[in-house]
Amino acid sequence: MAQSKGLKPDFTLRELTLSGHSEDADVRGSSPAVELRDKRLVCVEYPAVVSSVGKMLETLGGEQAVSKTFAHPNRRLELRYRPQDPFCHCLCGNRFTSSNLLLRVRRRVRKGNPKDAEIHMDVLGVIGTTYKFQGMADFQCLAVQSEKGKDTSLYDKIILRKTENQEFFEQPMPHFLPPAIFSRLDTPVDYFYRPDIHQNLMQNTNKNFIGLNRARRPHNAIFVSFIDPTVPTECLEAARVNWRQVCQKEDGRQAEEKLKQMFESRPIWSRNAVKANINIHPDKLKRLLPVFAYYMVTGPWRSLWVRFGYDPRKTPESKKYQMLDFRIRCSTKEGYSLSDLPVKAKRSALTYSLPITFNKPGPPPASVMELPAQEGPSTSRDPAPITYQLKDSSYIFREGMLPPHRQMFYQLCDLHLESIQQVIEQNNGSEQVCDERDGWCVVGTTDKLRDIISSMIKKVVRAQKPSSPPTRKRHGRTASKWDAEEEEDEEDEEDEFLPSEGSENEMETEILDYM
C-alpha cells in the first residue's frame, strides 16, 4: 500500500471533450449534453482474442449468417473455431437484450510534452442486442488416426474435394466413426441421484406430480388391427366419463351431437375430415372420438375411425371408405424438381438444425393493456371467436388442385374425380375377398390411383411453372449467376417455412396421442 500511494500518473488530463456538447458545458456545475446517434448496433462477446476481424467473421459464418441469425429471435449464434472442418462442433451464443453505448475514445498527446494529453469521446450508437457464449466448448471431434504415439490426419482421405475414381473408394481406410449426435445441453447441470420413494405411489398422488415415467393418457381409445376376429360394439365406460368431464358447455354438447350425426350418415371418418366438419378444440376431439368409434391400426382402413359395431371387412360397400396413402413424387423423372413444386415440405433433413442452436420460446408476458373497443354502436369487448376447423382441401381432392402437404391420407369417397371412381367401382357386385392392402378393390388399385393423381398434379405444376427467361449478361455476369442467387433466396424462404399442423406419419402421431 505504501508503494501504491507514491505512484503518480505519467500524463496530465487537461481536457475531456464530448461530441455534440452544448454551450452550457462551460458553465460551472453543469454537465455536457451528449447527442445519441439513432443507430442500433449488435454486440458479439467473442470468446477469444481477436487479431483478425476477417477470420473472426469467418468463424461466425460471415456477415450473412450473423444477419440471418439476428432475424430469428429464438436462434442462437453459431461459432466454429475450425470453419473449414465439417466435423467441427459449434459453440452457441445466447441472445440478450441490452441497452449499452458504443464509445470511441481518442487520446491525443502533445509532441513537446508527452505527459500532456487530451481525450475525445464520441457515442457511435446504442447496442440493443448482445450475444454471449456461455456454454462449454469441449465437444469436439477430430478426424485423426493415432498410431504409435503419432497422430495422422484423415481429412484428405475421407473428404471429397474433387471428382474421384473408383480406386479412391477402394483404398484401405482406418475406421473413423464420428458421434451421431453431441449432447443436447452445452451448459453444466447438477444431478442429484437419489431413489424416488414416491414412484410406487404415483397413482395416489396429485396429478401434477412429476415422476420417472409419464402417466398413461386417459383417452380410452380402442385399437383394432386387420387380423382381429371381432370389432367392439360400444365404447369403454371410462371414455364416457372422460368426455363428460370436459363437456360442460353448450358448444361441447353441440359438437357431440354433430359427431353422432356424422357417424350415422357415414360409418368411417378420418380425423382431418372430422376436424374439417366440426369446430372443436383438438384436445376435446381426442376425448370425443373414442366415444363413438374405434381406431383401425392396420389394413385398408388404417388410421381411420370406424363406428362401433361396424366391421368394414364384412361389408363390400365399405371399400369407398378405404384409405389411400398418397405422397407427391418429386424428381426430374416426373418432369419437375423440388424447387418447381409449390407444395412445401413440413420438414427436411437437408435443413436440419441441431437442438442446441435454438432456444425454446417462453410463454408470452401477461399484458394489462385494455382491449380497444369495437367499431360501431356495440361496446362489447369480447375477443374474436377462435376457429379450429380445417379446410376441405385437408381431406378432399378435386381436379386442378394441389394437395396442401406432400403426404396426404385420402379416403376413396373423398377423391372427387370421375376417372378415379371408375377404377374404384370396376368390380362392383363381384367382390370376393377383402385384401389387407387393397381391401375390396381389385388388386393393384391403390397403385393405379396414385398414378392418376400424380399425373394430374404434374399437369397443374407444369401449368403454373413460369417459362424460363432467356440467358443474358449483366455487368459481365451471365444469367445463370442470377438464377443461382434466386435459388439461394428460395432456400432462405424454405428455412423460414413453419411446419404445418400434424405429422408426416399421421397414424403414429395419432396413436401416441392415446397412449
Side-chain angles (χ1 to χ4, degrees):
M1 294 294 295
Q3 295 180 355
S4 63
K5 292 181 179 180
L7 294 178
K8 295 182 178 180
D10 58 351
F11 67 92
T12 303
L13 182 62
R14 293 178 58 86
E15 183 180 0
L16 177 63
T17 61
L18 299 175
S19 63
H21 71 282
S22 61
E23 297 178 356
D24 297 337
D26 299 333
V27 180
R28 188 172 183 179
S30 63
S31 59
V34 180
E35 179 183 358
L36 295 179
R37 300 184 182 181
D38 188 14
K39 188 175 183 180
R40 308 295 296 182
L41 303 175
V42 178
C43 175
V44 178
E45 295 185 1
Y46 196 78
V49 178
V50 179
S51 58
S52 174
V53 178
K55 292 183 178 179
M56 182 269 294
L57 284 176
E58 185 180 0
T59 59
L60 296 175
E63 294 184 6
Q64 183 178 4
V66 176
S67 301
K68 190 174 181 179
T69 301
F70 177 75
H72 296 270
N74 295 331
R75 182 171 293 183
R76 307 175 73 190
L77 184 62
E78 301 181 22
L79 184 149
R80 290 177 173 82
Y81 283 119
R82 306 184 309 279
Q84 306 299 332
D85 185 1
F87 300 103
C88 179
H89 187 60
C90 64
L91 282 73
C92 294
N94 296 321
R95 177 170 177 164
F96 295 93
T97 302
S98 59
S99 57
N100 302 326
L101 300 178
L102 179 62
L103 305 179
R104 181 175 61 187
V105 181
R106 291 176 294 181
R107 177 174 174 266
R108 295 180 179 180
V109 181
R110 190 181 300 274
K111 293 183 179 180
N113 186 8
K115 296 183 179 181
D116 188 3
E118 182 179 352
I119 297 178
H120 296 269
M121 181 180 65
D122 298 329
V123 180
L124 301 182
V126 180
I127 301 175
T129 303
T130 302
Y131 288 94
K132 300 181 181 181
F133 294 87
Q134 302 171 320
M136 297 182 293
D138 55 350
F139 294 114
Q140 299 297 329
C141 181
L142 300 177
V144 296
Q145 179 187 11
S146 300
E147 186 177 358
K148 297 181 180 179
K150 184 179 180 181
D151 296 332
T152 305
S153 176
L154 301 177
Y155 288 97
D156 295 334
K157 298 181 180 181
I158 62 178
I159 297 179
L160 289 176
R161 306 184 187 276
K162 60 180 181 179
T163 305
E164 301 288 351
N165 52 20
Q166 187 175 358
E167 297 178 356
F168 176 83
F169 299 97
E170 294 180 351
Q171 63 180 341
M173 176 66 192
H175 295 290
F176 173 67
L177 301 176
I181 188 173
F182 288 91
S183 173
R184 296 177 63 90
L185 303 176
D186 55 357
T187 53
V189 179
D190 293 330
Y191 288 93
F192 299 96
Y193 296 100
R194 54 190 177 189
D196 190 356
I197 59 176
H198 302 287
Q199 183 62 26
N200 297 330
L201 303 176
M202 275 194 60
Q203 303 298 331
N204 299 328
T205 55
N206 188 4
K207 62 179 181 179
N208 295 325
F209 177 78
I210 300 177
L212 299 179
N213 299 323
R214 178 175 61 85
R216 185 179 179 88
R217 296 173 181 173
H219 297 309
N220 304 290
I222 301 177
F223 299 101
V224 177
S225 62
F226 184 78
I227 60 176
D228 290 342
T230 59
V231 297
T233 57
E234 60 180 356
C235 68
L236 301 176
E237 182 61 27
R240 292 194 181 96
V241 176
N242 195 24
W243 167 245
R244 294 194 192 101
Q245 293 176 354
V246 298
C247 181
Q248 303 293 339
K249 298 182 179 180
E250 182 63 26
D251 57 348
R253 289 186 286 269
Q254 292 178 359
E256 180 181 358
E257 185 64 26
K258 175 66 175 178
L259 187 62
K260 181 180 179 181
Q261 296 175 1
M262 290 173 59
F263 275 103
E264 289 177 353
S265 61
R266 173 171 157 179
I268 304 177
W269 290 84
S270 65
R271 184 169 66 167
N272 280 347
V274 174
K275 293 169 71 174
N277 288 273
I278 299 180
N279 185 19
I280 184 175
H281 193 280
D283 291 339
K284 290 185 177 181
L285 183 60
K286 293 178 184 178
R287 299 172 181 250
L288 180 58
L289 278 173
V291 178
F292 295 99
Y294 62 91
Y295 190 80
M296 288 290 291
V297 181
T298 59
W301 297 277
R302 64 184 180 276
S303 74
L304 300 178
W305 290 89
V306 185
R307 185 180 64 203
F308 283 115
Y310 184 83
D311 192 348
R313 299 167 299 180
K314 300 179 180 179
T315 308
E317 291 78 8
S318 63
K319 69 177 180 180
K320 60 182 178 181
Y321 304 121
Q322 293 177 192
M323 193 273 294
L324 176 66
D325 183 358
F326 175 76
R327 308 181 186 189
I328 298 180
R329 302 167 182 172
C330 302
S331 65
T332 55
K333 179 181 177 182
E334 301 295 329
Y336 54 87
S337 59
L338 289 174
S339 58
D340 301 328
L341 190 64
V343 183
K344 302 298 182 181
K346 298 177 183 177
R347 60 189 60 85
S348 174
L350 301 177
T351 58
Y352 173 76
S353 299
L354 294 174
I356 62 172
T357 59
F358 282 88
N359 286 325
K360 294 183 178 180
S367 176
V368 296
M369 181 181 61
E370 293 186 358
L371 297 176
Q374 298 179 357
E375 297 181 358
S378 176
T379 58
S380 174
R381 296 186 179 183
D382 295 337
I386 301 176
T387 177
Y388 304 99
Q389 198 164 348
L390 300 180
K391 297 181 180 179
D392 292 342
S393 59
S394 62
Y395 76 102
I396 294 178
F397 182 80
R398 297 183 178 91
E399 186 175 2
M401 66 172 290
L402 286 175
H405 312 303
R406 293 186 182 179
Q407 182 182 15
M408 296 295 298
F409 295 89
Y410 293 115
Q411 290 184 257
L412 301 186
C413 61
D414 295 326
L415 301 174
H416 297 176
L417 289 143
E418 185 178 355
S419 58
I420 290 180
Q421 294 301 323
Q422 290 177 358
V423 176
I424 298 172
E425 299 172 357
Q426 59 182 334
N427 66 334
N428 277 1
S430 59
E431 299 91 344
Q432 299 294 333
V433 181
C434 182
D435 183 67
E436 186 173 359
R437 186 176 185 271
D438 294 289
W440 292 106
C441 297
V442 178
V443 177
T445 299
T446 54
D447 295 332
K448 293 181 181 179
L449 298 181
R450 293 189 181 104
D451 294 338
I452 295 175
I453 298 177
S454 297
S455 62
M456 293 183 175
I457 292 178
K458 184 189 300 185
K459 294 179 182 179
V460 176
V461 173
R462 288 181 177 179
Q464 296 181 358
K465 182 179 179 181
S467 57
S468 57
T471 304
R472 61 185 182 276
K473 292 186 177 181
R474 291 186 181 179
H475 304 287
R477 295 190 296 179
T478 60
S480 60
K481 176 65 176 178
W482 296 96
D483 294 340
E485 294 179 358
E486 292 178 359
E487 291 179 0
E488 291 180 359
D489 295 339
E490 291 179 359
E491 292 177 359
D492 294 343
E493 292 178 0
E494 290 184 1
D495 293 341
E496 298 176 359
F497 180 78
L498 297 178
S500 57
E501 183 181 1
S503 170
E504 289 191 10
N505 193 339
E506 183 172 336
M507 182 179 68
E508 181 181 353
T509 304
E510 194 162 1
I511 291 177
L512 291 177
D513 286 340
Y514 293 89
M515 298 186 66

